[in-house]
Amino acid sequence: MDTRPFLIVAIDGGAASGKSSTARALSARFNLLHVDTGSFYRAVTAVLLRRGVAAHDPARIEAEVGGLRLGTRITGRSAGMEINGEVIPDAEIRGAAVNGAVSHVAALPAVRAALLAYQRGQEGVARAGGFRGLVMEGRDIGSVIFPGAACRFFLHADPAERARRRALEGGQDAIALRDQLDSSRKAAPLACPPGAVAVDTTHQGLDEVVALLSGIIAGQLGE
Ligand code: DC
């Protein structure tokens, strides 16, 4: 049992800004539960699509989302969302259909409200799992989910560099369009929250970014 203070690290940023790789590295370094909230919006979107619900049908989405039974399954150091007992396969949540629909689903206040308590509940999941804290990545973690987090970061990079990274991963994701939708929506738009540390990752490798954030986190921990 770890008796040191529980640490919450919030990482926000656009698609392919380097959030996931950075969060995974910090998770390993500081024994934090890794929580990728984009995967939660993706899982919910995948289930809606399976049920034949259109991304542009807010009333239907609202009705369906309220009835989903959400749980968490920890694999390694990562929290995966269970919906009605199932973890939706990665290939499905990262496929073209979900890529095209997820920003529309995530823009709906009813969906965000349904996931708010679930996301905050990851703190209890991490504590119960014996983690020293959690590192949560998304679009509104430092602004809405955990505005009081000890460490809040906002990663950004030039659009061309982000497109290059996504292509290297084999992704076919229209990240510029998704960012535009995520930044212009009314509910919790993508933006650097006041007081967060903004990091431009365009010309920095993963190791450099991780070293920078690790230094700040270690400073917070007094290490
Ligand atoms: O991080 P990602 O690209 O997997 O996120 C998928 C979508 O989910 C993205 O278009 C925006 C949305 N999202 C959000 O609105 N809020 C979050 N905290 C995380 C993701």
Side-chain angles (χ1 to χ4, degrees), residues 127-177:
R127 285 181 187 274
F131 291 90
R132 184 181 187 184
L134 62 81
V135 53
M136 184 175 277
E137 54 164 304
R139 303 293 189 288
D140 61 345
I141 311 308
S143 54
V144 176
I145 309 298
F146 288 120
C151 297
R152 295 179 303 144
F153 300 103
F154 186 83
L155 303 191
H156 58 105
D158 285 352
E161 171 60 17
R162 292 191 289 126
R164 192 187 68 84
R165 288 178 193 164
R166 194 43 62 97
L168 276 180
E169 290 167 359
Q172 306 249 307
D173 197 355
I175 54 178
L177 173 64

Side-chain angles (χ1 to χ4, degrees):
M1 202 24 209
D2 203 330
T3 54
R4 292 170 296 182
F6 189 84
L7 174 70
I8 296 183
V9 179
I11 305 184
D12 291 304
S17 58
K19 298 188 304 283
S20 286
S21 315
T22 305
R24 266 194 291 272
L26 294 175
S27 149
R29 161 114 192 233
F30 294 101
N31 186 28
L32 309 174
L33 179 67
H34 173 219
V35 187
D36 170 8
T37 60
S39 75
F40 298 164
Y41 286 95
R42 287 172 177 277
V44 167
T45 302
V47 167
L48 293 171
L49 292 176
R50 279 184 189 178
R51 295 179 181 184
V53 180
H56 296 284
D57 188 347
R60 192 65 214 283
I61 292 174
E62 203 166 317
E64 295 279 346
V65 160
L68 301 178
R69 190 165 43 81
L70 304 180
T72 304
R73 195 178 305 169
I74 297 180
T75 307
R77 294 177 190 281
S78 287
M81 175 183 266
E82 284 181 344
I83 301 183
N84 299 336
E86 179 190 359
V87 175
I88 315 298
D90 232 47
E92 187 174 344
I93 70 170
R94 309 220 172 259
V98 170
N99 279 342
V102 64
S103 285
H104 301 286
V105 173
L108 298 174
V111 173
R112 306 201 74 80
L115 290 190
L116 180 76
Y118 175 77
Q119 290 172 92
R120 290 194 177 144
Q122 295 301 309
E123 177 176 348
V125 172
R127 285 181 187 274
F131 291 90
R132 184 181 187 184
L134 62 81
V135 53
M136 184 175 277
E137 54 164 304
R139 303 293 189 288
D140 61 345
I141 311 308
S143 54
V144 176
I145 309 298
F146 288 120
C151 297
R152 295 179 303 144
F153 300 103
F154 186 83
L155 303 191
H156 58 105
D158 285 352
E161 171 60 17
R162 292 191 289 126
R164 192 187 68 84
R165 288 178 193 164
R166 194 43 62 97
L168 276 180
E169 290 167 359
Q172 306 249 307
D173 197 355
I175 54 178
L177 173 64
R178 242 169 5 93
D179 273 359
Q180 203 256 322
L181 291 168
D182 296 339
S183 309
S184 59
R185 70 185 179 212
K186 287 204 180 70
L190 168 67
C192 181
V197 177
V199 181
D200 184 347
T201 69
T202 308
H203 303 295
Q204 298 198 76
L206 176 62
D207 290 352
E208 287 170 277
V209 176
V210 171
L212 176 72
L213 270 56
S214 295
I216 294 172
I217 294 168
Q220 275 286 334
L221 294 172
E223 288 180 352

